[in-house]
Amino acid sequence: MSDTYQKPQPVIDPGTKPFWDAAREHRLSIPRCNSCGQHHFYPRELCPHCHSDDLEWSDVSGKGEIYTFTIARKPAGPVFADDVPYVIAMIALDEGPRMLTNIITDDVEQVAIGDRVTVRYDDVTPELTLPKFTLDKD
Amino acid sequence: MAREAVIVGAGDVPLEDGKVVGGGSVLQVQARAAKAALDDARLSMGDVDGLLVAGLWGVPGPGLLPSVTLGEYLGIAPRFADTTNIGGSAFEAHVAHAAMAIEKGYCDVALIVYGSTQRSERSRTLGGRPSILTMQFENVWGIPQPVGGYAMAARRHMHEFGTTEEQLAEIAVATRKWASLNPAATKRDPITIYDVMNSMPIADPLKLLDCCLVTDGAGAIVMTTADNARAHGAKAIHLRGYGEAHTHWSIGTMPDLARLTAAEIASRHAFEMAGVSHDAIDLVECYDSFTITVLMTLEALGFCKPGEGGAFVSGQRTAPGGAFPLNTNGGGLSYCHPGMYGMFLLIEAVRQLRGEAGERQVDNVNTALVHGTGGTLSSGATVILANH
Ligand SMILES: [Zn+2]
């Protein structure tokens, strides 16, 4: 399967490995700050809100709403050509942070800002799972 | 008496159909632009002791140390270098940095250079950034770069403020009218709002004619002290204020996708330093990577309130003869866009302030505001220039 998956794959590093490891186990895990209580994404060494280094990984609900999105009518390179049109969306997770992802839907035209969404894990290779989202109204 | 830094030279290279006339490597075209700007300043390469460069060329390779490579190529040994790269706004920041260096006595003649041969090399693509570090959270989703981020900002702006695709199209149409007055512009045939609305969809809600061109280009600016300018009989353009800021590169971490925070910070500082109000600005040159960039920039600069950009640009108010002349060379949308366009905003402002803009010359331009935007609505740098 990994031989046939031609799209970009993350070059996972020590700072991001817990996120991708959790995704492979179908969990959405992001850092939470023990100092200010806020979550953030993407994962960092210092809280971007209060700059504390007292952080811990925290499983979140995988629910949120669409903050904004675009429908790609031209692909981001030939490897995405078969997917056009596809939706890239920015989700405002219920825990606060925003996260870029894809919306999986048969009808891209119905996607709207404010739509409620839920994570759905796409195991694209044995080593890589991408947390994508579906519309609750679908 | 305190040293005052001024702009004394501006130069570029001719383009035909978006390509450098006669061809050339990215080093050759930068050398030609540098010579044109120095000729314009009545200075020579041997006078240059400050070199400011930002670019996307020669990486990996000699472009990793761009000022070192370009200094070597130009045959100079600058004692001040700045390779600040904050995207297409880098050159507005370079003007500010050069001014600080000149006024401190750290250098006497600063050369700011940019060049790209991306069109001739067919090197611009919508994907292709390595999925490392921060970009591992962007590339995997197939976001077309950079248009996808701008499209998401446009969508959010429409959602919050009711901005329409027709209002964005107004900007493309007005900018093309300016380009029709500029013999150097790549796209000069008039277009209509209908044409923009019906151009090829790229990333909703942005269509082909909402997007900047992909061209070659090279340009340079020369700065020195006001005293030196006077001694050489060069026309000095004065720097009244400047500011810069950046907030993010990953679009997922942009603080507010309906507001251009970097431009708000940069322009606030520039206006404070200049001690002038918006009424004092006769002309604005602002980065137009996409139509939405212009609309959000006008709001962030304070020429209209947040959310009022759509109404502000309606009725061709920014076109030739309109109330608010904007991007008078035809902009990145219709003149040229060689990857990092901010250099060409500066060159056009200098020409307008000197009264050298030919058919597109705006009447009574004494003070101009130039604002660059870089990355994915990431960075902003403002300079306020005056001819007196
Ligand atoms: Zn915190």
Side-chain angles (χ1 to χ4, degrees), chain B:
Chain B
M1 197 176 133
R3 289 160 63 99
E4 184 203 354
V6 293
I7 294 176
V8 286
D12 53 12
V13 301
L15 301 178
E16 189 169 357
D17 192 28
K19 296 179 185 173
V20 172
V21 173
S25 76
V26 73
L27 292 174
Q28 287 179 291
V29 300
Q30 287 181 94
R32 286 177 214 157
K35 182 160 192 332
L38 286 162
D39 287 349
D40 184 52
R42 303 187 186 191
L43 291 165
S44 65
M45 192 65 77
D47 297 320
V48 175
D49 61 355
L51 182 60
L52 300 93
V53 190
L56 305 168
W57 48 269
V59 179
L64 289 173
L65 305 180
S67 73
V68 181
T69 294
L70 195 65
E72 166 195 301
Y73 189 82
L74 296 173
I76 59 176
R79 63 194 181 105
F80 169 65
D82 178 13
T83 55
T84 297
N85 193 340
I86 53 172
S89 54
F91 312 100
E92 285 70 37
H94 288 176
V95 167
H97 301 177
M100 289 186 270
I102 289 167
E103 290 176 0
K104 192 78 181 167
Y106 204 57
C107 70
D108 292 319
V109 175
L111 172 66
I112 308 171
V113 194
Y114 177 68
S116 168
T117 49
Q118 64 169 14
R119 173 72 183 266
S120 298
E121 293 167 8
R122 298 173 177 278
S123 57
R124 183 97 171 174
T125 64
L126 291 178
R129 293 176 188 164
S131 303
I132 61 170
L133 301 172
T134 57
M135 301 246 164
Q136 67 189 279
F137 298 104
E138 303 238 312
N139 292 6
V140 293
W141 314 115
I143 182 169
Q145 297 280 18
V147 63
Y150 285 83
M152 284 195 279
R155 177 71 75 197
R156 185 71 199 177
H157 201 277
M158 290 172 171
H159 174 78
E160 288 193 22
F161 302 119
T163 306
T164 65
E165 294 182 46
E166 286 83 355
Q167 288 170 333
L168 294 180
E170 291 263 9
I171 295 165
V173 172
T175 309
R176 181 62 64 88
K177 288 178 186 168
W178 284 111
S180 73
L181 302 177
N182 180 3
T186 301
K187 295 281 187 188
R188 302 187 63 199
D189 293 338
I191 53 172
T192 64
I193 290 175
Y194 180 89
D195 292 335
V196 181
M197 296 294 291
N198 289 281
S199 60
M200 184 172 46
I202 304 289
D204 288 10
L206 300 180
K207 300 163 287 292
L208 183 64
L209 291 176
D210 288 300
C211 304
C212 63
L213 306 173
V214 176
T215 71
D216 295 345
I221 290 284
V222 177
M223 296 177 67
T224 188
T225 62
D227 288 347
N228 198 15
R230 210 171 296 120
H232 287 80
K235 273 191 200 174
I237 299 297
H238 301 264
L239 184 56
R240 297 297 186 213
Y242 47 81
E244 65 186 277
H246 53 75
T247 52
H248 67 281
W249 192 1
S250 314
I251 192 67
T253 64
M254 183 169 178
D256 181 340
L257 269 84
R259 289 180 73 161
L260 201 40
T261 307
E264 290 177 1
I265 299 168
S267 64
R268 187 173 68 239
H269 287 289
F271 272 110
E272 280 173 12
M273 189 187 298
V276 299
S277 69
H278 289 71
D279 295 342
I281 306 297
D282 303 312
L283 173 70
V284 173
E285 305 287 345
C286 82
Y287 209 107
D288 59 344
S289 44
F290 300 92
T291 50
I292 184 63
T293 318
V294 176
L295 196 138
M296 291 174 69
T297 302
L298 290 171
E299 293 177 1
L301 296 177
F303 288 101
C304 57
K305 292 196 177 72
E308 292 182 353
F312 189 83
V313 301
S314 290
Q316 292 296 289
R317 287 187 70 247
T318 65
F324 194 87
L326 179 72
N327 296 345
T328 49
N329 57 3
L333 291 168
S334 288
Y335 161 44
C336 75
H337 194 283
M340 293 170 65
Y341 174 72
M343 169 60 71
F344 304 90
L345 299 170
L346 292 163
I347 293 171
E348 177 66 5
V350 168
R351 288 177 178 159
Q352 288 282 349
L353 285 163
R354 288 171 169 179
E356 294 173 353
E359 202 187 340
R360 66 183 188 280
Q361 179 67 47
V362 177
D363 291 338
N364 305 315
V365 176
N366 295 307
T367 305
L369 183 148
V370 178
H371 182 83
T373 294
T376 309
L377 299 164
S378 309
S379 69
T382 308
V383 296
I384 296 174
L385 303 174
N387 58 11
H388 54 285

Side-chain angles (χ1 to χ4, degrees), chain A residues 32-38 40 47-52 54-55:
Chain A
R32 180 184 172 280
C33 175
N34 287 322
S35 180
C36 73
Q38 297 185 77
H40 74 263
C47 171
H49 306 292
C50 76
H51 309 113
S52 164
D54 186 8
L55 303 173

